[in-house]
Amino acid sequence: MNAQMECTSCGSRLGITEIAYTCRECGGLLDVVYDDAPGDPEELKARFRARRLSDETADRSGVWRFRELLPFADKRHIVTLGEGNTPHWDAPRAAAYAGVDRLAVKHQGMNPTGSFKDNGMTAGVTQARALGATTVACASTGNTSASMAAYAARARMRAAVFIPDGQIALGKLSQALDYGALTLQIEGDFDVALALVRQLTDTDPIYLLNSVNPFRIEGQKTIAAELCEQRGWRVPDRIVVPGGNLGNVSALGKGFMELLDWGFIDRLPRITVVQAEGAAPFAQMVRSGATTLTEVANATTRATAIKIGAPVSWPKAMRVLEVCGGEVLTVTEAEIAEAKAVIGSDGIGCEPASATTVAGLRQLIADGLATPDENVVCVLTGHLLKDPDYTVEYHFGRLEPGAAHANAPVRVASNLDAIRIALKS
Ligand SMILES: *Cc1c(COP(=O)(O)O)cnc(C)c1O
Ligand SMILES: [Zn+2]
């Protein structure tokens, strides 16, 4: 397909090999756009599926087996860790908890570095390689840095990650260190770190890999295609996603809109975005009917992946809500913690930010804004083991005193009688 970058605000276009993260005319966000369709949908669906049996590395990736939907011409540039192809599971206990008849979760935490960032990063680093970049950088609440560090290492590029000092989950920090990234702990929060890395990459020859980068969004949009494929190309009534910087909802929405335009699906899902109460600038904007976003200074939540007060992709996310229909909700820290334990009780588990989805769905049902017979998919964005401190604190009763689903370990004497008594309790 013939691809270009286009400003979502003024419509100016840029060539696909230009190094630009925002519009040179007006500063708006850039999208990758296509002037033609990828081809016959039925033929392509068969090809996407057949690639799962191929032994070629690119074919086995859940992003690159959809490569006809992407703007990359040269397969030799592909940097992949076999991302995507993530499970789509039935979650009966979470369904009962939320109040729906049945609930599916798509677990993006089952990616190579444990979050959906891999779906986008494989495309972002591939574009970096195609452009000849030798150093890449990002600001991160943790998962973007873990992912970028891994893909940059595979591509033998230098990686510089900007993380907020003392506010990232240990699982994520350990990944960036092990994958060899230069890890800069910035004195400030995520929003401060992002502003700095954007300034740096505007002037220095370093390629920016935050989700403002439209190629990351392109990789992430394939989650929509894979999800539809897993459901026999039947579109769910509703998708629920957490909202942080709003790249994920923008990418999913773009994915679904293109699939509709190109004849792969016959309708769009409604999209529900869920934010943590203490980090909810997008929810406030939508609720108040404002036309621009007011940043939240010092965003707070223990769900660190969505602890963001100035989400960059809000204009794209707004467009997705307008076209697909949907809403933005907020949930409390207690609701997030409880929903996370319920997801765990299905044998699935996720990181705190992901659990906002089930908490949000429960709220929609309670408020009568969704019906129990809807076909809903909650997108779980990150792996349970990313933030073990949070989980352990919850189950020991330290996070939410009196937590309903806390499952603390039981101390028991080293003899079978004591163990049998414990087993009966
Ligand atoms: C990045 C991330 C989010 C937020 O996604 P955005 O695209 O920033 O809205 C949510 N959950 C997890 C686990 C993440 O890593
Ligand atoms: Zn513009």
Side-chain angles (χ1 to χ4, degrees):
M1 281 189 294
N2 180 26
Q4 284 183 298
M5 288 190 282
E6 185 180 270
C7 174
T8 54
S9 174
C10 76
S12 311
R13 287 198 166 192
L14 279 167
I16 208 86
T17 55
E18 302 263 352
I19 298 182
Y21 315 107
T22 48
C23 175
R24 290 194 185 128
E25 307 295 324
C26 78
L29 296 173
L30 297 174
D31 247 348
V32 175
V33 295
Y34 305 90
D35 290 327
D36 41 5
D40 175 55
E42 295 313 312
E43 195 269 321
L44 284 169
K45 285 178 188 175
R47 201 187 300 174
F48 298 156
R49 174 137 279 234
R51 285 186 180 139
R52 295 200 71 156
L53 299 173
S54 159
D55 284 325
E56 241 201 87
T57 311
D59 290 350
R60 296 195 67 94
S61 156
V63 171
W64 298 101
R65 68 189 178 86
F66 297 104
R67 57 186 171 270
E68 283 79 359
L69 311 180
L70 297 173
F72 302 92
D74 192 340
K75 248 173 79 181
R76 283 170 312 174
H77 292 135
I78 292 177
V79 183
T80 176
L81 281 162
E83 52 291 318
N85 293 325
T86 56
H88 173 264
W89 283 317
D90 191 32
R93 289 194 171 108
Y97 175 76
V100 288
D101 301 341
R102 79 198 85 76
L103 175 62
V105 295
K106 174 124 177 91
H107 204 334
Q108 295 303 117
M110 302 302 278
N111 263 297
T113 80
S115 82
F116 77 84
K117 302 301 196 296
D118 293 346
N119 297 70
M121 202 55 76
T122 183
V125 173
T126 293
Q127 178 67 2
R129 179 187 263 177
L131 295 170
T134 53
T135 306
V136 291
C138 69
S140 175
T141 61
N143 282 332
T144 300
S145 56
S147 183
M148 191 191 78
Y151 283 88
R154 297 303 302 160
R156 295 169 179 258
M157 288 174 194
R158 267 173 61 85
V161 305
F162 290 49
I163 57 171
D165 196 14
Q167 297 171 37
I168 98 166
L170 273 190
K172 307 176 186 182
L173 176 61
S174 66
Q175 288 177 291
L177 300 176
D178 221 41
Y179 301 140
L182 170 65
T183 303
L184 304 171
Q185 292 185 278
I186 307 291
E187 292 170 9
D189 62 11
F190 170 82
D191 300 305
V192 171
L194 181 58
L196 284 168
V197 78
R198 288 185 74 176
Q199 279 171 35
L200 179 77
T201 52
D202 268 346
T203 51
D204 295 32
I206 299 174
Y207 191 63
L208 178 66
L209 280 174
N210 276 98
S211 59
V212 66
N213 183 311
F215 295 92
R216 271 201 44 209
I217 300 293
E218 286 307 285
Q220 271 167 227
K221 82 181 184 188
T222 62
I223 298 168
E226 186 177 282
L227 174 64
C228 290
E229 183 192 56
Q230 283 168 312
R231 302 175 62 93
W233 296 94
R234 281 182 298 274
V235 178
D237 298 319
R238 182 188 302 273
I239 309 273
V240 189
V241 287
N245 222 3
L246 303 172
N248 195 24
V249 56
S250 303
L252 277 164
K254 185 173 194 281
F256 283 111
M257 289 183 230
E258 286 178 353
L259 290 171
L260 181 70
D261 277 353
W262 293 337
F264 288 80
I265 55 176
D266 55 11
R267 65 183 184 126
L268 296 170
R270 268 184 92 77
I271 299 199
T272 301
V273 180
V274 191
Q275 298 202 290
E277 204 175 51
F282 190 51
Q284 282 163 21
M285 175 189 164
V286 172
R287 219 173 269 158
S288 68
T291 50
T292 57
L293 182 127
T294 305
E295 298 173 7
V296 168
N298 304 315
T300 52
T301 170
R302 282 291 303 267
T304 49
I306 51 172
K307 186 169 183 281
I308 294 174
V312 167
S313 293
W314 69 262
K316 288 186 179 179
M318 198 63 224
R319 177 148 183 271
V320 168
L321 290 190
E322 282 162 10
V323 177
C324 293
E327 50 282 297
V328 194
L329 311 176
T330 58
V331 291
T332 65
E333 295 297 298
E335 287 167 338
I336 295 171
E338 189 170 87
K340 189 177 110 60
V342 171
I343 297 164
S345 75
D346 267 319
I348 292 172
C350 61
E351 66 167 283
S354 313
T356 59
T357 56
V358 170
L361 180 60
R362 181 176 156 95
Q363 198 185 100
L364 278 182
I365 294 288
D367 294 348
L369 295 172
T371 54
D373 60 348
E374 276 187 24
N375 264 306
V376 185
V377 178
C378 286
V379 179
L380 303 182
T381 44
H383 197 282
L384 170 66
L385 295 178
K386 287 283 194 173
D387 193 351
D389 291 348
Y390 180 102
T391 306
V392 169
E393 278 184 52
Y394 175 84
H395 288 294
F396 275 76
R398 292 186 207 128
L399 192 67
E400 297 290 336
H405 298 264
N407 178 30
V410 180
R411 284 195 85 90
V412 44
S414 59
N415 66 71
L416 290 183
D417 287 343
I419 290 169
R420 287 197 184 99
I421 290 168
L423 283 168
K424 279 196 196 115
S425 70

